[in-house]
Short mmCIF file of all heavy atoms in Angstrom, two decimals:
data_model
loop_
_atom_site.label_atom_id
_atom_site.label_comp_id
_atom_site.label_asym_id
_atom_site.label_seq_id
_atom_site.Cartn_x
_atom_site.Cartn_y
_atom_site.Cartn_z
N THR H 1 -1.45 6.30 1.97
CA THR H 1 -1.02 7.06 0.77
C THR H 1 -0.22 6.18 -0.15
O THR H 1 0.68 5.46 0.28
CB THR H 1 -0.15 8.27 1.17
OG1 THR H 1 -0.91 9.18 1.99
CG2 THR H 1 0.33 9.02 -0.04
N LEU H 2 -0.58 6.21 -1.42
CA LEU H 2 0.19 5.58 -2.48
C LEU H 2 0.66 6.68 -3.42
O LEU H 2 -0.18 7.36 -4.00
CB LEU H 2 -0.60 4.53 -3.22
CG LEU H 2 -0.93 3.21 -2.49
CD1 LEU H 2 -1.82 2.33 -3.36
CD2 LEU H 2 0.35 2.49 -2.13
N SER H 3 1.94 6.86 -3.56
CA SER H 3 2.48 7.91 -4.44
C SER H 3 3.48 7.32 -5.44
O SER H 3 4.46 6.70 -5.03
CB SER H 3 3.18 8.98 -3.61
OG SER H 3 3.76 9.96 -4.46
N PHE H 4 3.16 7.54 -6.70
CA PHE H 4 4.06 7.13 -7.79
C PHE H 4 4.37 8.32 -8.69
O PHE H 4 4.64 8.18 -9.87
CB PHE H 4 3.44 5.99 -8.59
CG PHE H 4 3.29 4.73 -7.78
CD1 PHE H 4 2.04 4.42 -7.20
CD2 PHE H 4 4.35 3.87 -7.60
CE1 PHE H 4 1.90 3.28 -6.43
CE2 PHE H 4 4.20 2.71 -6.85
CZ PHE H 4 2.99 2.43 -6.27
N ARG H 5 4.30 9.50 -8.10
CA ARG H 5 4.49 10.75 -8.86
C ARG H 5 5.80 10.70 -9.65
O ARG H 5 6.88 10.39 -9.14
CB ARG H 5 4.57 11.92 -7.87
CG ARG H 5 4.77 13.28 -8.53
CD ARG H 5 4.92 14.37 -7.45
NE ARG H 5 3.67 14.56 -6.75
CZ ARG H 5 2.97 15.69 -6.77
NH1 ARG H 5 3.41 16.70 -7.53
NH2 ARG H 5 1.85 15.83 -6.11
N GLY H 6 5.68 11.02 -10.95
CA GLY H 6 6.84 11.13 -11.82
C GLY H 6 7.32 9.80 -12.39
O GLY H 6 8.29 9.75 -13.18
N MET H 7 6.65 8.70 -12.07
CA MET H 7 7.07 7.37 -12.55
C MET H 7 6.12 6.91 -13.66
O MET H 7 4.91 7.04 -13.54
CB MET H 7 7.01 6.36 -11.39
CG MET H 7 7.36 4.97 -11.77
SD MET H 7 7.27 3.91 -10.29
CE MET H 7 7.54 2.30 -11.06
N THR H 8 6.63 6.42 -14.75
CA THR H 8 5.81 5.96 -15.83
C THR H 8 5.05 4.67 -15.45
O THR H 8 5.64 3.70 -15.01
CB THR H 8 6.65 5.66 -17.08
OG1 THR H 8 7.31 6.85 -17.52
CG2 THR H 8 5.80 5.15 -18.21
N LEU H 9 3.73 4.75 -15.57
CA LEU H 9 2.88 3.61 -15.24
C LEU H 9 2.20 3.08 -16.49
O LEU H 9 1.61 3.84 -17.24
CB LEU H 9 1.81 3.99 -14.21
CG LEU H 9 2.29 4.46 -12.84
CD1 LEU H 9 1.10 4.86 -11.97
CD2 LEU H 9 3.14 3.40 -12.15
N THR H 10 2.28 1.77 -16.68
CA THR H 10 1.59 1.14 -17.83
C THR H 10 0.14 0.83 -17.48
O THR H 10 -0.24 0.88 -16.28
CB THR H 10 2.30 -0.19 -18.19
OG1 THR H 10 2.08 -1.13 -17.09
CG2 THR H 10 3.81 0.00 -18.38
N PRO H 11 -0.70 0.50 -18.48
CA PRO H 11 -2.06 0.13 -18.17
C PRO H 11 -2.15 -1.09 -17.22
O PRO H 11 -3.04 -1.15 -16.37
CB PRO H 11 -2.63 -0.23 -19.52
CG PRO H 11 -1.90 0.68 -20.49
CD PRO H 11 -0.50 0.70 -19.94
N ILE H 12 -1.17 -1.99 -17.29
CA ILE H 12 -1.17 -3.15 -16.36
C ILE H 12 -0.90 -2.66 -14.94
O ILE H 12 -1.51 -3.15 -13.96
CB ILE H 12 -0.06 -4.13 -16.77
CG1 ILE H 12 -0.39 -4.60 -18.16
CG2 ILE H 12 0.05 -5.26 -15.77
CD1 ILE H 12 -0.87 -5.96 -18.34
N ASP H 13 0.05 -1.72 -14.79
CA ASP H 13 0.32 -1.16 -13.48
C ASP H 13 -0.95 -0.53 -12.93
O ASP H 13 -1.25 -0.67 -11.72
CB ASP H 13 1.41 -0.07 -13.54
CG ASP H 13 2.76 -0.63 -13.96
OD1 ASP H 13 3.04 -1.81 -13.63
OD2 ASP H 13 3.57 0.11 -14.57
N CYS H 14 -1.69 0.17 -13.78
CA CYS H 14 -2.92 0.83 -13.32
C CYS H 14 -3.97 -0.20 -12.90
O CYS H 14 -4.71 0.02 -11.93
CB CYS H 14 -3.47 1.70 -14.47
SG CYS H 14 -2.44 3.14 -14.83
N ALA H 15 -4.03 -1.32 -13.61
CA ALA H 15 -4.98 -2.40 -13.23
C ALA H 15 -4.62 -2.95 -11.84
O ALA H 15 -5.47 -3.26 -11.03
CB ALA H 15 -4.94 -3.50 -14.30
N VAL H 16 -3.30 -3.10 -11.59
CA VAL H 16 -2.83 -3.60 -10.28
C VAL H 16 -3.25 -2.62 -9.20
O VAL H 16 -3.73 -3.02 -8.14
CB VAL H 16 -1.33 -3.81 -10.30
CG1 VAL H 16 -0.80 -4.04 -8.89
CG2 VAL H 16 -0.96 -5.02 -11.18
N LEU H 17 -3.05 -1.32 -9.41
CA LEU H 17 -3.41 -0.33 -8.42
C LEU H 17 -4.92 -0.32 -8.17
O LEU H 17 -5.34 -0.23 -7.00
CB LEU H 17 -2.98 1.06 -8.89
CG LEU H 17 -1.48 1.34 -8.91
CD1 LEU H 17 -1.20 2.73 -9.47
CD2 LEU H 17 -0.91 1.24 -7.50
N ALA H 18 -5.73 -0.46 -9.20
CA ALA H 18 -7.15 -0.50 -9.02
C ALA H 18 -7.57 -1.71 -8.18
O ALA H 18 -8.46 -1.64 -7.31
CB ALA H 18 -7.86 -0.55 -10.39
N HIS H 19 -6.91 -2.85 -8.43
CA HIS H 19 -7.22 -4.06 -7.67
C HIS H 19 -6.88 -3.85 -6.18
O HIS H 19 -7.68 -4.21 -5.31
CB HIS H 19 -6.35 -5.21 -8.21
CG HIS H 19 -6.47 -6.49 -7.46
ND1 HIS H 19 -7.57 -7.36 -7.58
CD2 HIS H 19 -5.64 -7.08 -6.54
CE1 HIS H 19 -7.39 -8.38 -6.78
NE2 HIS H 19 -6.24 -8.24 -6.16
N VAL H 20 -5.73 -3.26 -5.92
CA VAL H 20 -5.28 -3.05 -4.53
C VAL H 20 -6.21 -2.09 -3.84
O VAL H 20 -6.63 -2.32 -2.69
CB VAL H 20 -3.83 -2.49 -4.54
CG1 VAL H 20 -3.48 -1.94 -3.18
CG2 VAL H 20 -2.84 -3.59 -4.94
N ILE H 21 -6.56 -0.97 -4.48
CA ILE H 21 -7.46 0.00 -3.86
C ILE H 21 -8.82 -0.57 -3.61
O ILE H 21 -9.47 -0.32 -2.62
CB ILE H 21 -7.54 1.26 -4.76
CG1 ILE H 21 -6.18 1.94 -4.85
CG2 ILE H 21 -8.57 2.23 -4.20
CD1 ILE H 21 -6.10 3.01 -5.91
N GLY H 22 -9.25 -1.44 -4.54
CA GLY H 22 -10.55 -2.07 -4.39
C GLY H 22 -10.64 -2.98 -3.17
O GLY H 22 -11.72 -3.16 -2.60
N LEU H 23 -9.51 -3.55 -2.77
CA LEU H 23 -9.50 -4.47 -1.65
C LEU H 23 -9.41 -3.75 -0.32
O LEU H 23 -9.79 -4.31 0.73
CB LEU H 23 -8.32 -5.43 -1.75
CG LEU H 23 -8.38 -6.47 -2.87
CD1 LEU H 23 -7.08 -7.29 -2.86
CD2 LEU H 23 -9.56 -7.41 -2.69
N CYS H 24 -8.86 -2.55 -0.32
CA CYS H 24 -8.55 -1.85 0.91
C CYS H 24 -9.31 -0.55 1.05
O CYS H 24 -9.42 0.22 0.11
CB CYS H 24 -7.04 -1.59 1.03
SG CYS H 24 -6.04 -3.09 0.86
N ASP H 25 -9.81 -0.29 2.26
CA ASP H 25 -10.51 0.97 2.52
C ASP H 25 -9.64 1.99 3.22
O ASP H 25 -10.09 3.05 3.62
CB ASP H 25 -11.74 0.69 3.40
CG ASP H 25 -12.80 -0.13 2.66
OD1 ASP H 25 -12.97 0.11 1.43
OD2 ASP H 25 -13.41 -0.98 3.29
N THR H 26 -8.35 1.67 3.39
CA THR H 26 -7.48 2.57 4.15
C THR H 26 -6.79 3.59 3.24
O THR H 26 -6.32 4.63 3.75
CB THR H 26 -6.39 1.77 4.87
OG1 THR H 26 -5.62 1.01 3.90
CG2 THR H 26 -7.01 0.83 5.87
N ILE H 27 -6.67 3.33 1.94
CA ILE H 27 -5.91 4.24 1.08
C ILE H 27 -6.74 5.48 0.78
O ILE H 27 -7.78 5.44 0.11
CB ILE H 27 -5.54 3.51 -0.23
CG1 ILE H 27 -4.63 2.32 0.11
CG2 ILE H 27 -4.84 4.47 -1.20
CD1 ILE H 27 -4.35 1.40 -1.07
N LYS H 28 -6.26 6.61 1.30
CA LYS H 28 -6.99 7.86 1.20
C LYS H 28 -6.46 8.78 0.10
O LYS H 28 -7.19 9.56 -0.51
CB LYS H 28 -6.97 8.59 2.54
CG LYS H 28 -7.65 7.84 3.68
CD LYS H 28 -7.55 8.60 4.99
CE LYS H 28 -8.24 7.83 6.11
NZ LYS H 28 -8.15 8.55 7.40
N HIS H 29 -5.15 8.70 -0.14
CA HIS H 29 -4.52 9.63 -1.09
C HIS H 29 -3.77 8.82 -2.16
O HIS H 29 -2.88 8.05 -1.85
CB HIS H 29 -3.54 10.56 -0.39
CG HIS H 29 -2.91 11.54 -1.31
ND1 HIS H 29 -1.81 12.31 -0.95
CD2 HIS H 29 -3.24 11.94 -2.57
CE1 HIS H 29 -1.48 13.10 -1.97
NE2 HIS H 29 -2.35 12.89 -2.94
N LEU H 30 -4.18 9.01 -3.42
CA LEU H 30 -3.52 8.37 -4.55
C LEU H 30 -2.89 9.46 -5.39
O LEU H 30 -3.60 10.29 -6.00
CB LEU H 30 -4.54 7.57 -5.36
CG LEU H 30 -3.96 6.80 -6.56
CD1 LEU H 30 -2.99 5.71 -6.09
CD2 LEU H 30 -5.09 6.15 -7.35
N ASP H 31 -1.56 9.50 -5.42
CA ASP H 31 -0.82 10.53 -6.12
C ASP H 31 -0.20 9.91 -7.38
O ASP H 31 0.79 9.19 -7.32
CB ASP H 31 0.28 11.13 -5.24
CG ASP H 31 0.98 12.31 -5.89
OD1 ASP H 31 0.74 12.58 -7.11
OD2 ASP H 31 1.79 12.94 -5.21
N LEU H 32 -0.80 10.23 -8.55
CA LEU H 32 -0.33 9.70 -9.83
C LEU H 32 0.04 10.84 -10.76
O LEU H 32 -0.17 10.69 -12.00
CB LEU H 32 -1.37 8.77 -10.44
CG LEU H 32 -1.81 7.57 -9.58
CD1 LEU H 32 -2.87 6.74 -10.34
CD2 LEU H 32 -0.61 6.70 -9.22
N GLU H 33 0.50 11.93 -10.24
CA GLU H 33 0.84 13.06 -11.11
C GLU H 33 2.05 12.75 -11.98
O GLU H 33 3.02 12.14 -11.51
CB GLU H 33 1.11 14.34 -10.27
CG GLU H 33 -0.13 14.89 -9.61
CD GLU H 33 -0.06 16.39 -9.39
OE1 GLU H 33 0.91 17.03 -9.88
OE2 GLU H 33 -0.95 16.92 -8.74
N ASN H 34 1.97 13.13 -13.24
CA ASN H 34 3.06 13.00 -14.18
C ASN H 34 3.54 11.56 -14.30
O ASN H 34 4.74 11.27 -14.27
CB ASN H 34 4.24 13.91 -13.76
CG ASN H 34 5.25 14.08 -14.85
OD1 ASN H 34 4.98 13.91 -16.05
ND2 ASN H 34 6.52 14.34 -14.48
N CYS H 35 2.59 10.67 -14.45
CA CYS H 35 2.92 9.22 -14.57
C CYS H 35 2.70 8.71 -15.99
O CYS H 35 2.68 7.51 -16.24
CB CYS H 35 2.05 8.39 -13.59
SG CYS H 35 2.54 8.56 -11.89
N HIS H 36 2.51 9.64 -16.93
CA HIS H 36 2.35 9.29 -18.37
C HIS H 36 1.11 8.39 -18.55
O HIS H 36 1.11 7.49 -19.43
CB HIS H 36 3.60 8.63 -18.93
CG HIS H 36 4.83 9.48 -18.79
ND1 HIS H 36 5.16 10.46 -19.69
CD2 HIS H 36 5.79 9.50 -17.84
CE1 HIS H 36 6.29 11.03 -19.32
NE2 HIS H 36 6.69 10.48 -18.22
N ILE H 37 0.08 8.64 -17.75
CA ILE H 37 -1.15 7.84 -17.86
C ILE H 37 -2.01 8.44 -18.96
O ILE H 37 -2.19 9.69 -19.01
CB ILE H 37 -1.90 7.83 -16.53
CG1 ILE H 37 -1.06 7.16 -15.44
CG2 ILE H 37 -3.25 7.12 -16.65
CD1 ILE H 37 -1.65 7.27 -14.07
#
C-alpha cells in the first residue's frame, strides 16, 4: 500500500510514483485521495 491521502502531489511526484509502481508488482492499493492532482 502507498498512501499519500491529503498531501499535495506535483506532476513530478506523480511521475516518480508511476515509475515505482511500474517496477514493482507488489503494490496493490494506491491511495491518492485529496492530493490536488
Side-chain angles (χ1 to χ4, degrees):
T1 298
L2 287 176
S3 176
F4 295 97
R5 180 185 292 246
M7 178 180 174
T8 298
L9 298 178
T10 68
I12 298 253
D13 295 331
C14 292
V16 167
L17 289 177
H19 175 79
V20 166
I21 295 168
L23 291 177
C24 304
D25 293 323
T26 59
I27 298 171
K28 297 179 180 179
H29 183 194
L30 182 63
D31 185 353
L32 302 180
E33 290 208 9
N34 194 25
C35 288
H36 303 276
I37 297 172

